[in-house]
Amino acid sequence: MSEKLRYAVVGIGNMGGKHVLLYKEGDIKEMELVAVCDINPKKFEFALSQVPTLHTYTDYYEMLDKEKLDAVIIAVPHYFHPEYVKAAVERGINALSEKPAGVYTKEVKEVANFVKGTDKTAALMLNQRTNCIYRKVRELVQSGDYGQIRRTNWIITDWYRTQSYYNSSDWRATWDGEGGGVLMNQAPHNIDLWQWICGMPKSVRAFCHNGLWHDIEVEDDVTIYVEYPNGATGVFITTTGDCPGDNRFEITMDRAKIVCTSSEIKMYELSSNINDYTYAENDGFTKLESHEVKVETDGENPQHAGVVNAFASHILHGTPLVADYSEGINGLTICNAAYLSSWLGKTIDLPLDEDLYLEELNKRRASSKKKKTVKEQTMKNMDKTFG
């Protein structure tokens, strides 16, 4: 293997274009971008304007077979993620997929198990895991110093999108093209962090409102209620219809409360365990004393470049990934369970009935409608959507 990995970007839309720019700007340290692939050859104009030496392909499989690649970055519509990861690994090529890992867990698990039987790497672009805010919150929660989680509450409504966003591609915001709306496109970052920090719930009840704020067939407003194995509860609210939106993540534990926004962490440490105090205190109105604790982070937030560089370093030097492809299963499980709960109008216990979910999803894919109005474009100011 060469000193630098030869790689290609597959799909030159919003995210694929960002990956080309990351390379041009010198943010990718141990990889050389040699090719791009997109079914629309017009997309090559942008890629070549940034990196004129690129080889261009409209057929993914032709590119895999013709180019001498060490790795691919996959930034195509969601249904293709598992298929494209597997096709690369089958040919001895490492793969980094944009989120989500796929649309339904059954296929993602099959591909993840296939990859485990090889010596190749498949990684997932869970770039918010590189954010110093969320890394520090995870460290605090999982340290055990503050007891068990009692409640989680995340209001993440700063994913605002205009109708022009949904009209920018024919696959967007359709059951057959994207596999869902805000839960499948924007919120996977937060749902992954939710379970990464707090653990997996045992049950999910959700209310997904389709086309509440936009002319789309999938959900743009969601409320999820979960219960954890220890009896704790959690609420997750998200939408692409609020402006201005908010990002507030609260975690209440036995001996502390964390309030996390996109820019800071506030932690309130209790003088004793809530449960102990509740039954020991004789006065019915006296609250348990608390004080704010200053929380410091390392300040680092490398995002997409950090994930790509960790991917390359893992292949070349054996250092850790930010997220293995299989780590997309937990977040996708919550997402699939939320859809199924909303569709069937009931609480879904985990583990998920994957066959039932796929059956219900396919019903919606069968009735999915082609968009009448599409004005294809690549979005500007993409940095504002990375958190």
Side-chain angles (χ1 to χ4, degrees):
M1 190 176 292
S2 60
E3 184 177 345
K4 283 195 172 186
L5 303 176
R6 291 170 54 88
Y7 78 109
V9 174
V10 188
I12 312 302
N14 294 331
M15 285 314 313
K18 175 68 176 179
H19 284 296
V20 173
L21 286 174
L22 286 174
Y23 177 76
K24 182 204 173 185
E25 293 166 1
D27 294 327
I28 308 306
K29 304 304 181 184
E30 295 184 289
M31 298 176 72
E32 178 186 1
L33 182 60
V34 297
V36 292
C37 178
D38 198 289
I39 59 173
N40 182 358
K42 290 183 180 180
K43 300 287 185 70
F44 299 149
E45 294 176 11
F46 167 78
L48 291 170
S49 73
Q50 305 302 312
V51 187
T53 57
L54 291 173
H55 299 163
T56 60
Y57 294 86
T58 57
D59 186 295
Y60 177 61
Y61 297 94
E62 179 186 5
M63 183 188 72
L64 293 182
D65 292 335
K66 283 189 175 181
E67 286 288 330
K68 294 181 179 179
L69 296 172
D70 299 307
V72 291
I73 295 178
I74 297 165
V76 296
H78 306 153
Y79 279 105
F80 295 99
H81 290 182
E83 174 187 338
Y84 279 20
V85 167
K86 185 176 181 182
V89 172
E90 282 178 330
R91 291 162 173 79
I93 300 169
N94 302 285
L96 170 57
S97 173
E98 276 291 341
K99 58 76 189 166
V103 175
Y104 50 96
T105 54
K106 186 173 184 178
E107 184 179 30
V108 171
K109 286 181 178 180
E110 289 171 355
V111 173
N113 287 333
F114 168 78
V115 173
K116 286 179 182 178
T118 74
D119 63 352
K120 295 303 166 186
T121 296
L124 191 61
M125 181 56 75
L126 295 177
N127 48 286
Q128 289 294 350
R129 290 192 184 188
T130 71
N131 188 322
C132 57
I133 296 287
Y134 298 120
R135 285 189 285 109
K136 188 63 178 182
V137 171
R138 184 174 190 262
E139 178 186 321
L140 291 169
V141 170
Q142 299 200 355
S143 69
D145 295 340
Y146 304 101
Q148 294 191 72
I149 289 175
R150 300 167 64 91
R151 183 183 308 280
T152 70
N153 184 28
W154 201 337
I155 299 176
I156 173 67
T157 57
D158 62 353
W159 292 120
Y160 176 73
R161 296 293 186 269
T162 64
Q163 186 64 38
S164 66
Y165 168 83
Y166 292 112
N167 293 345
S168 66
S169 298
D170 59 3
W171 60 273
R172 282 197 186 283
T174 63
W175 292 116
D176 195 43
E178 192 165 16
V182 63
L183 284 183
M184 192 60 66
N185 191 311
Q186 289 80 29
H189 288 300
N190 311 97
I191 292 175
D192 171 67
L193 292 171
W194 195 25
Q195 66 81 30
W196 188 57
I197 293 169
C198 302
M200 286 292 285
K202 68 174 185 178
S203 65
V204 176
R205 180 69 174 101
F207 302 87
C208 304
H209 301 282
N210 297 335
L212 184 60
W213 308 117
H214 305 86
D215 182 18
I216 56 175
E217 66 182 31
V218 295
E219 85 290 347
D220 59 0
D221 195 285
V222 175
T223 297
I224 301 173
Y225 167 80
V226 301
E227 295 184 356
Y228 294 94
N230 72 336
T233 62
V235 175
F236 184 95
I237 297 172
T238 191
T239 182
T240 55
D242 281 12
C243 194
D246 199 5
N247 182 3
R248 182 181 175 90
F249 185 19
E250 297 183 0
I251 305 170
T252 301
M253 293 173 287
D254 291 331
R255 292 188 295 276
K257 179 176 181 177
I258 296 172
V259 180
C260 169
T261 69
S262 56
S263 60
E264 67 175 353
I265 304 169
K266 289 187 176 181
M267 188 171 82
Y268 305 90
E269 191 173 282
L270 302 175
S271 57
S272 67
N273 186 297
I274 294 177
N275 286 335
D276 294 342
Y277 184 84
T278 297
Y279 288 95
E281 173 57 42
N282 292 323
D283 186 276
F285 295 94
T286 303
K287 289 185 178 181
L288 183 59
E289 291 184 0
S290 66
H291 65 280
E292 186 172 347
V293 177
K294 185 176 181 181
V295 178
E296 295 184 356
T297 72
D298 60 20
E300 295 182 6
N301 185 19
Q303 291 290 319
H304 292 76
V307 175
V308 176
N309 287 326
F311 172 63
S313 182
H314 177 78
I315 296 166
L316 292 169
H317 314 298
T319 53
L321 294 167
V322 171
D324 184 83
Y325 177 76
S326 64
E327 292 186 61
I329 294 170
N330 280 351
L332 188 59
T333 296
I334 296 173
C335 180
N336 286 180
Y339 282 133
L340 192 59
S341 171
S342 187
W343 295 339
L344 301 183
K346 67 178 186 179
T347 297
I348 301 299
D349 293 327
L350 300 184
L352 177 71
D353 185 334
E354 296 175 326
D355 291 324
L356 177 59
Y357 176 74
L358 185 55
E359 178 185 337
E360 291 295 327
L361 173 63
N362 285 337
K363 289 179 184 177
R364 287 151 182 84
R365 294 187 70 182
S367 60
S368 185
K369 297 178 181 178
K370 292 287 185 180
K371 290 184 181 179
K372 295 179 180 179
T373 303
V374 176
K375 186 177 179 181
E376 192 161 314
Q377 59 178 306
T378 298
M379 298 294 142
K380 298 177 181 179
N381 301 322
M382 283 293 292
D383 286 344
K384 293 182 179 179
T385 192
F386 299 150

